[in-house]
Amino acid sequence: MRGEGLDTPVQFMKGIGPTRAEALRRAGVRTVRDLLYYLPRRHEDRSNLKQVWQLQPGERACVKVTVCEPGYLDRRPRVTVVKVPALDDTAYLFLVWFNQPYMLDRFSPGQEVLATGTVRRYRSLIDLQVDDYEFVQEDQAPLQVGRIVPIYPLVEGVSQLLLRKAVDTALASFLEYAEEAVPAEIRERQGLMPLREALQQAHFPTDLSLASKARTTLAFEELLALQLAFRLRSQAARSTGQGIPMAEAEQHMRAFASTLPFRLTGSQEQALTEIARDLQSGSPMNRLLHGEVGSGKTVLAAAAGYACAQAGYGSALMAPTEVLATQHYRVLSELLEPARVAVRLLIGSLPPTEKRRIRGRLRHERPQVVVGTHAVIQEQVTFGRLGLAVIDEQHRFGVAQRAALRAKGANCHVLVMSATPIPRTLMLTAYGDLETSTLRELPAGRKPVETRISTRADAYSFLREQVAAGGQGYVVCPAIEGDENGELTAVLETEERLRRSYLEGVPLAILHGRMSREEQDSIVQNFRSRDLQVLVCTTVIEVGVDVPNARVMIIENAERFGLSQLHQLRGRVGRGEEPSFCFLLPGSRKAESRQRLRVIASTNDGFRIAEEDLRLRGPGEFFGLRQHGFPDLRVADVVKDSDLLVAAREQAGAILARDPQLSRPEHRPLARLVGLYAAAKPVAEGAD
């Protein structure tokens, strides 16, 4: 279909066609709207044309010259050089291309050329190694030289010239269809441009300062639309979904907490109040619980499960790995079974007869808690009365998997949990329609872990001393087996090396994800009972392994892990009464790698670490959100535009306070823009 206005497919634009449209599709550009919002990563000022006599060796420069003689090939060993003689009123030079012999046929004497590139001088001769060029045409403004030029991010088959020409055509033919959505008073308050001017200046600015203002305008428009979409979705969920009533949830949760052998922290008390309020509200809970490693999220999930059971409903907790699911099962059993709430385990590696037995029990309506992996969302699993769905380490699940668990209960309450603290900017974009509870405190008795960037000899000597004193430790490697280049430290080789050297005679074992569940359980149990002193493992122990006597963590090739993941791994120690230590062994000498590791070594504050991790890696890599429902922001950057994001959220709230459904005539363009974000589901929302 041809579409209309900005929704017109790019293949129907002048000069594009199916082949070029397919190339643009690889860059995520399908429609004219996509093209106009495919912004340059930077601009290059090529407006200052120099005369040839002014050129200095090594500089990048733009010139306007006339081809004066036919070009020729200068063949050299392993390289072919095209040289085209040209001049202006002041001097003579060669336009030069390497290994592009086809350029020879594009030039003939008398042609006027605008060219930009790097200047080289050989004796009295001047070469311009050309990056971009175009022929001077009286009826057409230049796109590549003689102006401020956009530099776009590229994919295979898409050139700068193709994008510049396509965007120029789109601006000339379709700009009139761009609809101003941001209300005028907000544009004025935020110092923004009108939309059409912003689109023009974002690509082909008349001044670099205008390019920056244009990008800010488009980023704010995007963030405002996204925040409105989140809030409208939340409103719709609250208004159309009748939640499962649990009128005495807080009373039951506090009664449960009073039976615990420890007191809740201040953060846990606050989170308990917030969760209970949701359960009692009459609307389905949709809450994120996140915080420090070991801050006590599972206890709150248990309290919520207990309240559900007292109201006559069951709960389901889904974890991404069998190790973590088994750990949750063990902890929840210890917490809930004394309170007469049955806890079941449903994971893929159970024998078929056991799985059938568990599934049969879940179909009964009596209150119970099931803990499992993806096995709990299989089609044959049905729940009698599911009142609460808890998704742990939820970023490890795909959108469809999270939605499948939600669908197991009619309007059931949903609590998603993350042991990785989530920076505020990411919270407002990836989790914008969830209520949030944050755990910043650690339970009493948890000691900070001393972290050192170390040599292998020092780290393993220290580990041996701690083992001799009765302690235990982990050695984490980034791979199970070594790679071809020998760059990764692997579990199998490390275990063999340690047995012959630093840890000779020490009871140790390997643990990784390719092992069967029975093997993993046996090894973890032997470690827990101290029959093993050291585990040489992959990140399979990142969550779900809780051994208070483990007091040393050694991480090989530490630069291979994200900062938040390193913090998670470090959280496996420091759970007992003895001081604990984490040794980071870098496999790279790069200054950048060392600097990242120094962040971990300098603080135990997971929130500060998460902010730095987001800044360094971006939202697409921060625990893999791009594969798990993270909104596709075309213009805005959640790190660089944090102030803009906060402003957009405030303005979205103000708009909906006046016009809850965006139904006023002045807000109809904004409502249409928000509609474009309907497919940008937040991480915890799923595809329902």
Side-chain angles (χ1 to χ4, degrees), residues 527-545:
F527 188 64
R528 191 174 281 123
S529 64
R530 305 192 190 185
D531 293 331
L532 293 170
Q533 261 64 59
V534 176
L535 286 186
V536 182
C537 51
T538 60
T539 56
V540 69
I541 56 95
E542 181 180 350
V543 289
V545 178

Side-chain angles (χ1 to χ4, degrees), residues 70-88:
Y72 63 91
L73 291 177
D74 180 5
R75 298 187 186 277
R76 304 175 188 175
R78 295 186 297 276
V79 66
T80 298
V81 184
V82 171
K83 288 195 168 188
V84 177
L87 52 73
D88 64 7

Side-chain angles (χ1 to χ4, degrees), residues 101 155 179 228 250 303 430 604 619 662-663 670:
V155 298
E179 189 176 39
L228 286 167
E250 183 165 8
N604 278 272
L662 297 181
S663 56
L670 188 55

Side-chain angles (χ1 to χ4, degrees), residues 265-550:
T265 66
S267 291
Q268 286 176 309
E269 288 279 1
Q270 178 64 31
L272 185 148
T273 299
E274 293 164 349
I275 293 169
R277 186 172 61 223
D278 287 350
L279 295 176
Q280 295 171 173
S281 69
S283 298
M285 176 170 68
N286 199 23
R287 181 168 291 275
L288 167 69
L289 176 64
H290 76 125
E292 284 282 12
V293 177
S295 55
K297 293 173 287 297
T298 307
V299 168
L300 293 171
Y306 177 80
C308 284
Q310 304 317 300
Y313 290 88
S315 304
L317 188 154
M318 184 168 69
T321 68
E322 293 198 351
V323 170
L324 181 54
T326 303
Q327 168 74 7
H328 278 312
Y329 170 69
R330 186 175 65 83
V331 172
L332 290 176
S333 296
E334 292 173 357
L335 292 171
L336 290 170
E337 290 191 345
R340 299 181 180 178
V341 177
V343 182
R344 321 283 184 200
L345 178 66
L346 182 58
I347 54 180
S349 62
L350 288 175
T353 53
E354 178 69 6
K355 282 192 276 192
R356 283 195 296 270
R357 186 178 67 84
I358 297 297
R359 288 197 295 263
R361 289 185 171 181
L362 296 180
R363 283 192 286 270
H364 295 300
E365 293 190 356
R366 62 177 177 271
Q368 56 194 313
V369 175
V370 61
V371 182
T373 54
H374 305 76
V376 301
I377 58 174
Q378 291 177 344
E379 187 176 346
Q380 60 266 46
V381 177
T382 57
F383 294 88
R385 301 181 79 196
L386 183 64
L388 172 67
V390 182
I391 303 167
D392 192 27
E393 293 298 308
Q394 60 82 38
H395 54 274
R396 297 190 178 197
F397 292 102
V399 172
Q401 293 165 331
R402 293 189 299 269
L405 181 60
R406 293 164 62 94
K408 293 291 184 180
N411 292 329
C412 70
H413 299 285
V414 176
L415 180 67
V416 298
M417 304 195 301
S418 173
T420 300
I422 301 168
R424 186 186 183 205
T425 52
L426 198 59
M427 189 84 67
L428 296 181
T429 46
Y431 305 86
D433 59 347
L434 274 73
E435 299 299 322
T436 304
S437 295
T438 302
L439 302 181
R440 286 186 171 270
E441 302 169 68
L442 294 179
R446 286 294 300 269
K447 295 180 172 60
V449 179
E450 182 179 333
T451 305
R452 305 171 184 174
I453 302 171
S454 177
T455 64
R456 187 170 279 143
D458 287 347
Y460 285 113
S461 296
F462 186 88
L463 174 57
R464 187 174 185 96
E465 291 172 4
Q466 290 293 307
V467 167
Q472 293 169 276
Y474 304 98
V475 176
V476 179
C477 303
I480 298 174
E481 298 176 304
D483 61 339
E484 293 180 359
N485 301 320
E487 294 179 355
L488 292 180
T489 304
V491 167
L492 301 181
E493 289 87 339
T494 299
E495 186 254 2
E496 186 178 336
R497 185 183 71 245
L498 292 177
R499 284 188 185 278
R500 298 195 312 264
S501 56
Y502 298 108
L503 301 183
E504 184 179 1
V506 173
L508 56 84
I510 60 174
L511 182 69
H512 57 73
R514 290 186 199 164
M515 303 171 75
S516 69
R517 181 224 169 190
E518 289 77 11
E519 288 179 297
Q520 292 186 38
D521 285 350
S522 174
I523 289 168
V524 171
Q525 184 54 44
N526 287 338
F527 188 64
R528 191 174 281 123
S529 64
R530 305 192 190 185
D531 293 331
L532 293 170
Q533 261 64 59
V534 176
L535 286 186
V536 182
C537 51
T538 60
T539 56
V540 69
I541 56 95
E542 181 180 350
V543 289
V545 178
D546 185 1
V547 180
N549 191 52

Side-chain angles (χ1 to χ4, degrees), residues 10 140 200 227 415 431 469 551:
V10 290
Q140 185 174 319
Q200 182 75 52
Q227 293 302 313
L415 180 67
Y431 305 86
R551 60 184 81 156

